[in-house]
């Protein structure tokens, strides 16, 4: 059985289910997978550089990258693919054979997750909260799901402006909105998207006033720990279609496994096993 040494670099990742997902996929497809959680305890470039070099020295086949290193990681990549070049961030690094190769399975995973839940329904006009690493991936992915306009809000105005400019450079419609425009923009939107860490178990809460939910068609929250965030609960209570953080987590994991092994896993089989193993009971997670 071929060994596969994988890991995840990020902050506050102790509850990640990525190790089980990749070990389960390894079991299905004949790989002996180890998957280590690597939290540098800091969020700066030097901390990421040191951790990445440690993984390379220890012979890791590849690793996933999560908050807050998705944009930082691009600086240490030798061979970015088209998704990384478009998005400007990476969440999946292939380390074998010397060079650091990168893709962005948040980008592909969001597209697959959205279509798994909503089919061909267009995303329409979207309000997106958060312009960080996952926000960049989702922003570009939205336009492959029928988005017509992307309104971006982030407390880091410079980051939001940079993302909007990058999206417009690809020929898509995007603009940055202010805090004063949030309510009006939310009510006019077809979709509400949370790509901030607010709602994560380490940073609980909801990034949008619950009173602003209602009248939209759908909502997505990139947070998946916990599975049922306050953001998704408010959206569900308002009657919106739900694309959950779990949808993104699962589909990006399937795509990352392909990067690490060259195998396109059967997502339906893997999802069924995952739900059974964790006895997942969630309004937002369904076996399709």
């Amino acid at each position: 059985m071929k060994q596969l040494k994988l890991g995840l670099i990020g902050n506050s990742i102790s509850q990640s289910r990525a190790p089980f997902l990749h070990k389960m996929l390894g079991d299905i497809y004949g790989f002996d997978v180890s998957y280590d959680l690597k939290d540098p305890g800091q969020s700066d470039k030097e901390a990421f550089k040191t951790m990445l070099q440690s993984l390379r020295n220890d012979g890791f086949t590849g690793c996933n990258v999560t908050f807050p290193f998705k944009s930082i990681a691009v600086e240490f990549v030798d061979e970015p693919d088209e998704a990384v070049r478009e998005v400007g961030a990476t969440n999946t690094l292939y380390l074998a054979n010397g060079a650091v190769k990168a893709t962005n399975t948040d980008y592909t995973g969001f597209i697959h997750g959205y279509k798994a839940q909503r089919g061909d329904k267009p995303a329409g006009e979207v309000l997106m909260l958060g312009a960080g690493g996952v926000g960049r991936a989702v922003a570009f992915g939205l336009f492959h799901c029928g988005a017509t306009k992307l309104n971006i809000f982030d407390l880091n105005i410079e980051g939001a402006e940079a993302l909007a400019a990058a999206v417009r450079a690809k020929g898509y419609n995007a603009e940055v909105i202010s805090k004063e425009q949030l309510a009006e923009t939310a009510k006019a939107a077809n979709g509400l998207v949370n790509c901030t860490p607010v709602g994560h178990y380490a940073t609980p809460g909801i990034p949008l006033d619950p009173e602003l939910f209602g009248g939209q068609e759908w909502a997505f929250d990139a947070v998946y720990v916990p599975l049922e965030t306050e953001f998704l609960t408010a959206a569900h209570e308002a009657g919106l279609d739900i694309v959950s953080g779990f949808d993104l987590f699962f589909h990006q994991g399937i795509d990352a496994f392909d990067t690490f092994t060259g195998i396109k896993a059967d997502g339906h089989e893997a999802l069924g096993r995952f739900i059974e193993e964790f006895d997942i009971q969630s309004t937002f997670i369904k076996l399709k």
Side-chain angles (χ1 to χ4, degrees):
M1 184 176 289
K2 184 177 179 180
Q3 289 193 330
L4 198 60
K5 197 171 183 179
L6 306 174
L8 172 65
I9 303 176
N11 292 166
S12 301
I13 55 175
S14 63
Q15 294 190 36
S16 173
R17 291 186 173 92
F20 178 81
L21 176 59
H22 284 277
K23 289 177 182 178
M24 180 189 72
L25 291 170
D27 182 55
I28 294 172
Y29 292 101
F31 291 86
D32 180 13
V33 176
S34 64
Y35 193 105
D36 298 334
L37 300 177
K38 301 290 187 177
D39 185 341
Q42 299 177 4
S43 58
D44 58 280
K45 185 190 301 186
E46 194 61 33
F48 178 82
K49 179 181 178 181
T50 300
M51 185 61 72
L52 178 63
Q53 190 58 52
S54 174
L55 266 59
R56 297 185 73 183
N57 292 343
D58 290 344
F60 277 65
T61 302
C63 70
N64 293 121
V65 180
T66 191
F67 179 83
F69 299 115
K70 293 180 181 182
S71 295
I72 292 173
V74 175
E75 299 183 35
F76 301 94
V77 170
D78 301 307
E79 299 178 23
D81 72 358
E82 183 178 350
V84 175
R85 288 191 294 269
E86 179 170 58
V87 174
T90 178
N91 74 322
T92 303
L93 303 177
Y94 183 75
L95 307 177
N97 304 323
V100 177
K101 300 179 181 180
T103 186
N104 194 312
T105 66
D106 282 337
Y107 169 77
T108 58
F110 173 76
I111 296 170
H112 295 153
Y114 178 94
K115 292 184 175 181
Q117 296 300 329
R118 302 202 77 227
D120 293 329
K121 293 180 183 177
E125 184 168 340
V126 178
L127 167 61
M128 186 176 79
L129 311 172
V134 70
R136 294 186 69 89
V138 171
F140 287 98
L142 280 164
F143 289 97
H144 292 270
C145 299
T148 55
K149 181 181 180 182
L150 179 63
N151 300 289
I152 305 168
F153 175 77
D154 196 296
L155 296 175
N156 180 349
I157 298 174
E158 183 178 336
E161 291 285 5
L163 176 56
V167 171
R168 289 194 295 267
K170 295 295 182 179
Y172 304 128
N173 187 5
E175 70 174 72
V176 176
I177 65 164
S178 66
K179 186 176 182 179
E180 291 71 27
Q181 294 173 293
L182 263 179
E184 180 182 0
T185 306
K187 282 299 185 180
N190 301 107
L192 300 175
V193 169
N194 177 36
C195 286
T196 78
V198 178
H200 187 268
Y201 75 89
T203 50
I206 184 168
L208 188 68
D209 187 338
E211 293 184 1
L212 297 179
F213 290 81
Q216 303 89 2
E217 297 173 12
W218 66 278
F220 164 73
D221 193 343
V223 174
Y224 79 94
V225 182
L227 295 173
E228 300 195 358
T229 63
E230 292 182 49
F231 186 90
L232 288 186
T233 298
H236 177 69
E237 291 175 351
L240 280 60
D241 292 345
I242 297 298
V243 184
S244 73
F246 181 86
D247 292 311
L248 172 59
F249 159 74
F250 182 79
H251 288 283
Q252 67 81 23
I254 293 289
D255 290 349
F257 188 78
D258 182 4
T259 296
F260 298 142
T261 66
I263 293 173
K264 294 187 180 299
D266 182 335
H268 192 273
E269 177 185 1
L271 180 58
R273 287 184 59 166
F274 196 97
I275 290 175
E276 181 180 0
E277 178 70 23
F278 279 98
D279 190 25
I280 291 177
Q281 304 292 324
S282 171
T283 306
F284 311 132
I285 300 174
K286 299 177 178 65
L287 181 59
K288 292 191 173 185

